Amino acid sequence: MKEKRLVTIMLMLITCIFLCSCDKKSQESTRELFAMDTFMVLKAHGEESDAALDEAVREIRRIDQMLSIGIKESEISTLNNNGEADFSEESMYLLDTSREVFNKTEGAFDITVYPLMVEWGFVDQKYRVPEKGTIKKLLENIGTDKIETQESNVKVPEGTKIDFGGIAKGYTSQKVIEILERHKVKGAIVSLGGNVQSCGVKADGKKYKVGIEDPKGSEDYIGVLEIKDKVVITSGSYERYFKKDGKVYHHIIDPKTGYPAKSDIASVTVVNEDGTTADAMATALFVMGREKALEYWKKYGEKDEFEMVIVENDGRITITEGLKETFDSKRHFKVVGK
Ligand code: ADP
Ligand code: MG
């Protein structure tokens, strides 16, 4: 029995080596890593896929360090500790994009919620429900409009601190895809903790498929999207949370109340062509709730070329009409148009 299994494995290996060596160009390379507090998988095929992925991994590590709040010398730590810092072009780009989304979403996306994240224990993972008075006090320092910039110089008033956690992974997947494209890969797909971005097509010439997780945690995807040169980013209350006295407290904060956003949305998935804005928007749309999120899509969906999938707490699924041809699901879903 054992021998038979060994022969089978040998045969499989030989077939595999054969398949890999006969067509180097369509060989798919993979890298797996843990960064930004999450598990990441990168896949690419094309002549330079190995070199491309190695560079991509280095890039992820670099951005992770750059945005790290744990590193005292990082630009963000300097700003948070001293109230002032000189930002590189890159940090400034993240700040500008964050500010743009803050303005457009009427403050639903707000990078200054950081002190609240600390107070709720999401930063040191010592979860706790803060006193009402503490939250009220902290709210006085919240607001991206409190951040002042003059060329590369950034200033915040005392007590105001920032964190790019709601935008960092989208920005990173964007940079990774740009690297892979520079290496002329034929196709690639990267998943940074479930945030997915792709370029080109699979080795078999078909489009990449991305499953959207069931916020309730079942094994089945709630649906599958077929994508080309797109990013698919989900924000959900099921991703990071703690329970206290039977209540669930998740990690997306409503900047107006200081509490985890009371949203009828369990998860919202944004599909567009730019990772950075998709990530910020997913976080904001979650805070807004279904009705406001759909209003926002009606207003900006066409101009900003984005579509979305909303899963409500009761399991109902809504997709925007641009995804009609690309979304496949065994479940019932509603298609919303303009
Ligand atoms: P994740 O990165 O966990 O997949 P999100 O992109 O929605 O999910 O980002 C959540 C993170 O963003 C939080 O961990 C926190 O650092 C930060 N954050 C929480 N609430 C907000 C908010 N209203 N606006 C901007 N950033 C937020
Ligand atoms: Mg986000």
Side-chain angles (χ1 to χ4, degrees), residues 82-277:
N82 306 344
E84 186 171 357
D86 266 325
F87 267 23
S88 60
E89 230 173 83
E90 219 175 351
S91 302
M92 201 54 102
Y93 169 72
L94 286 171
L95 177 56
D96 287 342
T97 311
S98 300
R99 194 183 266 133
E100 200 185 311
V101 182
F102 169 82
N103 289 329
K104 271 168 98 168
T105 62
E106 290 162 17
F109 183 79
D110 191 335
I111 52 172
T112 64
V113 296
Y114 182 61
L116 287 163
M117 295 301 291
V118 174
E119 201 55 41
W120 280 95
F122 284 110
V123 176
D124 60 8
Q125 272 151 37
K126 289 185 186 133
Y127 305 118
R128 59 214 164 228
V129 180
E131 300 278 332
K132 272 200 182 109
T134 312
I135 290 186
K136 209 169 153 218
K137 191 104 201 57
L138 287 178
L139 280 175
E140 288 169 14
N141 303 321
I142 308 296
T144 297
D145 50 356
K146 291 185 170 35
I147 307 171
E148 282 176 43
T149 38
Q150 221 169 26
E151 289 173 18
S152 66
N153 185 261
V154 184
K155 277 194 188 121
V156 288
E158 208 185 323
T160 301
K161 295 178 196 294
I162 69 161
D163 158 35
F164 287 125
I167 195 171
K169 275 178 271 170
Y171 172 69
T172 308
S173 72
Q174 185 66 39
K175 296 288 283 184
V176 163
I177 289 294
E178 281 165 21
I179 287 174
L180 303 182
E181 280 174 338
R182 266 206 305 280
H183 280 275
K184 300 196 170 47
V185 297
K186 294 218 163 50
I189 188 154
V190 302
S191 167
L192 314 189
N195 294 324
V196 178
Q197 188 159 0
S198 84
C199 66
V201 288
K202 290 193 290 182
D204 62 9
K206 294 198 174 123
K207 285 183 186 168
Y208 285 105
K209 285 184 176 171
V210 184
I212 297 176
E213 268 182 60
D214 180 357
K216 290 222 158 66
S218 78
E219 300 248 312
D220 288 339
Y221 289 123
I222 63 108
V224 175
L225 285 163
E226 223 177 25
I227 54 161
K228 184 162 187 282
D229 302 324
K230 293 266 196 269
V231 53
V232 178
I233 290 193
T234 302
S235 272
S237 49
Y238 64 96
E239 287 174 328
R240 207 142 35 104
Y241 63 86
F242 69 93
K243 279 187 186 163
K244 180 95 203 292
D245 301 329
K247 277 183 92 172
V248 174
Y249 299 94
H250 62 76
H251 76 307
I252 301 174
I253 302 288
D254 183 341
K256 302 246 163 27
T257 65
Y259 282 79
K262 271 204 183 113
S263 181
D264 52 359
I265 293 177
S267 84
V268 52
T269 300
V270 171
V271 184
N272 76 359
E273 283 183 10
D274 177 72
T276 318
T277 49

